[in-house]
Amino acid sequence: MHRILIVEDEQDIADLIGFNLERAGYEVLKAYDGIKGCELALRERPDLIVLDVMLPGRDGYSVFREIRRDPRCAEIPVIILTARAQTEDRIHGLEAGADDYLTKPFSPKELMLRVQAILKRADPAPGSVDFEHGPFRFDKNSLKFYLSNEPVELTSTEFKLMLFLAERAGKPQERNALLRTVWGYSDAAYSRTLDTHMKRLRQKLGTYGAWVHTIRGIGYSIAQPEE
Ligand code: CA
């Protein structure tokens, strides 16, 4: 059974979401402020977190960053709730790497659909893996990525970068080739974006980040690191 943590100070919203999730067969944990929410997330490591932004104690973004910093919790999918529909918030939330985003008011059904979609995506299906190199495994259809058989959430951009490099492992790939493959064209303006993505990708690979090599003046390659 999947466990879902709801961090939401508006008790009637928390209860409504909780009621619907429980009825759908999920186990529900609840916290009504940011401090308690963060504690529960780190201690209980739920399968998914529904996190409100405006919270007493500490706000949702601060809770989110702390959860992501903890290696044991970094992969827990998070759905951010906000009362404000402003674009800045949306960008802020997505930049911070939230898995999804809902603006209040939303229907419990809408939340339920998002929850189900995310949990389905996070469930491993090792049978359908169709490319493998070293500790890296790729399912090209569902864009699922596994690191030593553990599913790791990659964005579609990160997945494309990783697959392109892994399929050409041992051979340095030029920046222009990477830009063309992933963004469709090579433009100097995207050069920094490439480095940002590679940096985040390395972080997600943890100790296996050492497999990703920066080739000065050329680009990147994937190869087993030397001892
Ligand atoms: Ca709130």
Side-chain angles (χ1 to χ4, degrees):
M1 187 175 15
H2 285 117
R3 286 195 311 162
I4 298 176
L5 170 63
I6 302 167
V7 189
E8 164 65 87
D9 59 309
E10 284 166 80
Q11 213 153 326
D12 49 345
I13 296 183
D15 290 346
L16 180 66
I17 300 172
F19 172 74
N20 279 277
L21 288 171
E22 277 171 355
R23 207 174 49 175
Y26 299 107
E27 191 184 329
V28 171
L29 306 165
K30 276 185 248 173
Y32 301 116
D33 67 73
I35 294 165
K36 186 81 197 300
C38 197
E39 271 174 26
L40 266 181
L42 297 177
R43 193 176 71 217
E44 300 292 334
R45 283 187 274 155
D47 298 297
L48 186 144
I49 300 170
V50 178
L51 180 61
D52 187 33
V53 170
M54 302 294 279
L55 289 167
R58 57 192 293 191
D59 71 50
Y61 288 121
S62 148
V63 173
F64 180 76
R65 279 193 297 271
E66 180 153 349
I67 293 167
R68 279 290 182 266
R69 265 201 301 272
D70 186 318
R72 296 166 312 148
C73 298
E75 298 307 325
I76 298 175
V78 176
I79 299 177
I80 300 268
L81 303 181
T82 181
R84 298 165 300 174
Q86 284 144 12
T87 326
E88 298 81 48
D89 279 349
R90 200 166 286 269
I91 291 165
H92 193 169
L94 293 174
E95 260 185 358
D99 296 80
D100 212 334
Y101 207 97
L102 270 178
T103 304
K104 291 178 190 171
F106 56 85
S107 71
K109 193 179 169 201
E110 194 180 355
L111 176 72
M112 199 65 62
L113 291 174
R114 311 268 182 119
V115 166
Q116 283 162 350
I118 288 176
L119 288 176
K120 201 172 159 199
R121 217 156 63 207
D123 268 341
S128 53
V129 165
D130 56 14
F131 181 77
E132 221 171 314
H133 178 79
F136 312 122
R137 302 169 66 191
F138 302 81
D139 177 341
K140 293 186 200 177
N141 289 323
S142 65
L143 302 189
K144 276 182 195 151
F145 174 72
Y146 304 89
L147 192 54
S148 280
N149 295 328
E150 288 294 321
V152 172
E153 285 277 335
L154 295 186
T155 65
S156 63
T157 302
E158 290 162 353
F159 185 92
K160 280 187 209 166
L161 277 171
M162 195 62 203
L163 180 62
F164 187 82
L165 288 167
E167 285 182 332
R168 293 158 186 78
K171 301 183 194 92
Q173 297 303 311
E174 290 183 15
R175 304 177 63 84
N176 282 345
L178 287 164
L179 288 168
R180 264 200 311 276
T181 303
V182 176
W183 284 276
Y185 51 93
S186 63
D187 184 322
Y190 281 82
S191 215
R192 252 190 60 199
T193 311
L194 173 63
D195 296 322
T196 311
H197 278 85
M198 292 304 297
K199 191 178 163 198
R200 202 172 306 154
L201 190 51
R202 273 201 182 107
Q203 285 167 355
K204 287 192 181 180
L205 297 178
T207 54
Y208 293 103
W211 282 65
V212 179
H213 304 270
T214 307
I215 315 293
R216 202 173 282 277
I218 297 175
Y220 292 93
S221 79
I222 278 184
Q224 185 156 15
E226 288 167 26
E227 288 301 311

